[in-house]
Amino acid sequence: MRTLDSYDFSGKKALVRVDFNVPLNDKFEITDDTRIKATVPTITKILNDGGACILMSHLGRPKNGPTEKYSLKHLVTPLSLIFGRTVKFADDCIGEQATGLAANLQPGEILLLENLRFYKEEEKGDEEFAQKLAKLGDVWVMDAFGTAHRAHASTAVIGQYFPDKVCGYVMQAELDNAQRILEHAERPFTAIMGGAKISDKILIIERLLDNVDNLIIGGGMSYTFSKAKGGNIGKSLLEADKQDLTLEILEKAKSKGVNIILPLDNVIADDFSNDANRQTVKAGEIPDGWEGLDIGPESVKLFLDIVANSKTILWNGPMGVFEFPNFAVGTNAIAEAVVKATEENDAFSLIGGGDSASAVNNAGYGDRVSYVSTGGGALLEYMEGKTLPGVAALEA
């Protein structure tokens, strides 16, 4: 795989697949620019070499073509400020304007194309669409790790039309850090898995059982474990058809000498609301009509003690409904513990994208852990051992 540092972009027009799928408020203002800032080193390297950048991305999930809400034009001003130059914008990604602006782009200039997903051909991996995109640039740079697990036109199919294809810094860092976790983890190695569903994490959990010393399980998925063990979980999240699977996971972990740690207590609510009545109960003792929305103080203490003594930490998924401040205590405590282990115990910490990344970044801890992944689903699939189309396209 060709790396960015091994390529000279002088006089080249680099067609760069970035992940600018950032959240916007109702005024179309960016509320979290983490993904944009992650691409700055890649774009800067190309410009400093004397190349030009043609940026392509998706934004949201537009259903029927062009949609104001999902237009990348809303990113032009923020991008211009970040790069200290006027970013040009094409109101299409393959039309005449895009072709004309790309043809006339000079070294040191940046062109942003309109949302790729305004064309259904993008997600279908259409070859003709990919070929039209490819004609805009001289070299393809893949730097959108967050979409590397999709065989879309711009993330994988397009690679076949370029003799020169380069792995961007974001992609390279994601792959390097995932490999460090999987193959070079210093022990004790603790994985923290949260989120709503076991079904979303079962493959990564099974892979981790061959690698980790401790597996902490919190969030919505923990209630299915609790129910399977004979506990009462009220109206908490439950995947009823996965109860046998949870017992198998516990047995498998035991046979491999892996310590699985489940919550000891839960903060429960009588409604799915930040302002609901709440109380703390032992795990497995949630009364009818109540639901678990966070881990309790005993769980926090137990989890924190394990994290504090770890040298490698992988965290994917919140401990509760962290969008509600009253039920974000467990998730925030984990974030603080991971930071402390990183800074004081010299642990290597990888935050696995998605909600965990949001929790860490929102708390202002993003630069105090070892690495925050920009691609939740892609990272999980890579760590599960799956081939990512966006990675395979760079290697082909």
Side-chain angles (χ1 to χ4, degrees):
M1 189 185 296
R2 183 174 279 178
T3 62
L4 213 65
D5 286 336
S6 68
Y7 193 85
D8 182 3
F9 290 90
S10 179
K12 302 277 190 182
K13 290 171 186 169
L15 185 62
V16 189
R17 181 46 161 106
V18 290
D19 184 1
F20 285 174
N21 185 28
V22 294
L24 303 175
N25 61 22
D26 55 8
K27 295 178 182 176
F28 305 117
E29 297 165 335
I30 299 168
T31 56
D32 182 356
D33 64 357
T34 304
R35 286 176 171 168
I36 290 176
K37 286 187 172 169
T39 64
V40 169
T42 292
I43 295 166
T44 301
K45 149 72 175 166
I46 294 166
L47 298 177
N48 286 348
D49 274 4
C53 279
I54 302 165
L55 307 177
M56 54 179 179
S57 179
H58 71 286
L59 176 62
R61 296 179 178 275
K63 291 191 166 52
N64 298 304
T67 313
E68 175 73 11
K69 179 181 177 183
Y70 298 123
S71 175
L72 283 169
K73 70 183 181 185
H74 304 304
L75 275 54
V76 172
T77 298
L79 286 172
S80 298
L81 291 171
I82 287 171
F83 290 103
R85 67 197 76 199
T86 300
V87 171
K88 299 184 176 184
F89 180 71
D91 60 11
D92 195 354
C93 54
I94 56 172
E96 284 184 20
Q97 191 189 44
T99 305
L101 286 170
N104 294 312
L105 204 63
Q106 300 301 307
E109 292 186 333
I110 302 173
L111 169 64
L112 176 65
L113 305 177
E114 183 56 285
N115 194 337
L116 295 162
R117 288 190 183 172
F118 285 172
Y119 285 87
K120 294 195 185 312
E121 290 88 341
E122 160 66 2
E123 292 181 87
K124 289 178 180 175
D126 184 81
E127 292 197 2
E128 189 178 338
F129 179 70
Q131 199 167 9
K132 287 178 181 176
L133 287 170
K135 287 177 180 175
L136 300 175
D138 305 311
V139 51
W140 175 54
V141 178
M142 176 57 176
D143 210 25
F145 181 77
T147 59
H149 58 317
R150 309 291 188 204
H152 292 171
S154 68
T155 59
V157 179
I158 197 171
Q160 64 188 299
Y161 302 111
F162 284 95
D164 290 352
K165 40 197 175 184
V166 181
C167 178
Y169 287 136
V170 174
M171 282 284 291
Q172 190 176 340
E174 294 276 0
L175 297 173
D176 289 349
N177 282 291
Q179 283 300 318
R180 178 169 175 175
I181 283 277
L182 289 172
E183 297 177 13
H184 309 290
E186 194 177 346
R187 300 189 176 279
F189 177 7
T190 297
I192 308 161
M193 290 283 132
K197 296 180 177 179
I198 296 166
S199 52
D200 292 340
K201 306 282 172 75
I202 181 58
L203 292 175
I204 184 70
I205 286 174
E206 292 193 333
R207 179 90 188 266
L208 287 171
L209 290 179
D210 292 325
N211 297 73
V212 302
D213 301 294
N214 306 301
L215 177 57
I216 293 172
I217 293 177
M221 70 169 76
S222 67
Y223 302 108
T224 299
F225 279 88
S226 185
K227 179 77 171 176
K229 292 172 70 179
N232 294 317
I233 63 167
K235 59 176 184 178
S236 305
L237 276 176
L238 171 67
E239 286 184 280
D241 61 336
K242 295 292 185 289
Q243 291 180 77
D244 289 344
L245 181 60
T246 63
L247 297 177
E248 287 173 22
I249 290 170
L250 294 173
E251 279 300 312
K252 196 175 289 187
K254 191 175 179 182
S255 70
K256 292 176 182 284
V258 174
N259 182 26
I260 285 194
I261 307 99
L262 292 163
L264 300 174
D265 55 352
N266 296 108
V267 178
I268 63 173
D270 60 358
D271 188 29
F272 190 75
S273 159
N274 184 58
D275 301 320
N277 294 310
R278 59 189 191 275
Q279 58 176 306
T280 301
V281 298
K282 296 284 186 189
E285 297 181 10
I286 300 175
D288 292 346
W290 291 70
E291 59 187 310
L293 297 186
D294 198 5
I295 55 174
E298 287 183 38
S299 305
V300 168
K301 185 178 185 307
L302 173 64
F303 292 0
L304 265 51
D305 286 344
I306 293 165
V307 171
N309 292 301
S310 301
K311 295 297 285 185
T312 301
I313 303 161
L314 169 67
W315 179 22
N316 182 276
M319 296 294 98
V321 186
F322 78 106
E323 298 90 344
F324 297 157
N326 285 333
F327 301 100
V329 176
T331 299
N332 290 339
I334 290 289
E336 290 171 15
V338 172
V339 167
K340 191 173 181 182
T342 307
E343 294 180 341
E344 297 181 13
N345 197 28
D346 200 28
F348 175 77
S349 52
L350 174 58
I351 312 302
D355 288 338
S356 308
S358 296
V360 167
N361 288 324
N362 291 343
Y365 296 142
D367 58 352
R368 296 175 63 188
V369 294
S370 303
Y371 190 73
V372 180
S373 174
T374 58
L379 181 74
L380 288 182
E381 289 197 18
Y382 186 75
M383 297 188 82
E384 286 163 8
K386 293 179 180 175
T387 297
L388 304 189
V391 176
L394 285 167
E395 295 171 336

